[in-house]
């Protein structure tokens, strides 16, 4: 992965400073945050500042808009899913394995039980050799 021969950690390659949407915030608030931050997913944090899940732009469209639900009354917490994360000190390989196992493209990064960033398929693409990247893409996008 890394040409220096030193194993890179998740913290070395993640996007730092992920902003959370509150579990009680409306889906309209979540959608506006995504727009303003130019992201397709947000971690959902509870009143205790702990990770509760993740919400994607696709979740909002499929599970709210397409179902005729109200963007102002439906909350991010109602669509929380995928409580999967990786510790900041873990290797990039460990993050890759979790993303493949759960067929996800974005993974919250935790340090001392708090979210500190996100690692994405784009972050991994910069780190992986082409053959490994192709394998990752195949596994994550494969239908179960």
């Amino acid at each position: 992965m890394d040409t220096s021969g030193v194993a890179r950690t998740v913290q070395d390659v993640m996007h730092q400073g992920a902003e959370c949407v509150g579990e009680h915030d409306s889906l309209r608030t979540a959608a506006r945050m995504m727009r303003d931050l130019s992201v397709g997913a947000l971690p959902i944090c509870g009143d205790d500042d702990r990770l509760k899940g993740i919400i994607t732009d696709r979740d909002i469209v499929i599970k709210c808009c397409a179902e005729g639900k109200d963007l102002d009354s439906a909350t991010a917490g109602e669509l929380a899913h995928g409580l999967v994360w990786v510790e900041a000190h873990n290797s990039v390989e460990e993050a890759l394995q979790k993303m493949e196992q759960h067929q996800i493209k974005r993974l919250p990064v935790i340090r001392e039980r708090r979210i500190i960033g996100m690692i994405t398929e784009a972050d991994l693409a910069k780190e992986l050799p082409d053959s490994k990247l192709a394998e990752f893409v195949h596994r994550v996008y494969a239908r179960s």
Side-chain angles (χ1 to χ4, degrees):
M1 271 183 254
D2 181 8
T3 56
S4 68
V6 177
R8 307 244 318 172
T9 66
V10 170
Q11 185 171 328
D12 294 332
V13 299
M14 71 177 190
H15 284 86
Q16 296 204 20
E19 284 194 43
C20 286
V21 63
E23 67 181 327
H24 303 295
D25 287 341
S26 72
L27 293 182
R28 185 175 310 279
T29 298
R32 286 180 175 155
M33 286 179 70
M34 288 179 193
R35 176 199 63 201
D36 295 346
L37 297 168
S38 296
V39 297
L42 289 170
I44 301 169
C45 293
D47 296 333
D48 58 0
D49 201 30
R50 299 286 199 264
L51 182 67
K52 301 298 181 190
I54 192 167
I55 188 170
T56 67
D57 48 6
R58 187 174 192 276
D59 293 332
I60 294 171
V61 170
I62 302 295
K63 298 176 183 174
C64 183
C65 297
E67 296 294 324
K69 295 182 182 176
D70 179 23
L71 283 171
D72 293 309
S73 61
T75 66
E78 292 172 31
L79 298 187
H81 69 81
L83 194 52
V84 178
W85 71 91
V86 65
E87 293 281 342
H89 65 271
N90 289 145
S91 70
V92 170
E93 183 66 32
E94 289 174 75
L96 177 68
Q97 289 172 357
K98 281 191 176 198
M99 292 169 84
E100 287 178 353
Q101 177 185 0
H102 297 280
Q103 291 187 307
I104 55 177
K105 301 169 207 152
R106 303 163 185 104
L107 190 60
V109 180
I110 303 292
R111 184 184 328 128
E112 297 174 6
R113 300 176 12 197
R114 300 273 190 253
I115 187 163
I116 62 164
M118 295 279 280
I119 190 165
T120 68
E121 61 186 335
D123 299 323
L124 293 173
K126 296 174 193 170
E127 296 295 313
L128 299 174
D130 289 346
S131 61
K132 188 80 168 173
L133 180 60
E135 182 180 327
F136 168 74
V137 168
H138 174 73
R139 287 184 181 173
V140 168
Y141 287 92
R143 297 279 178 194
S144 312

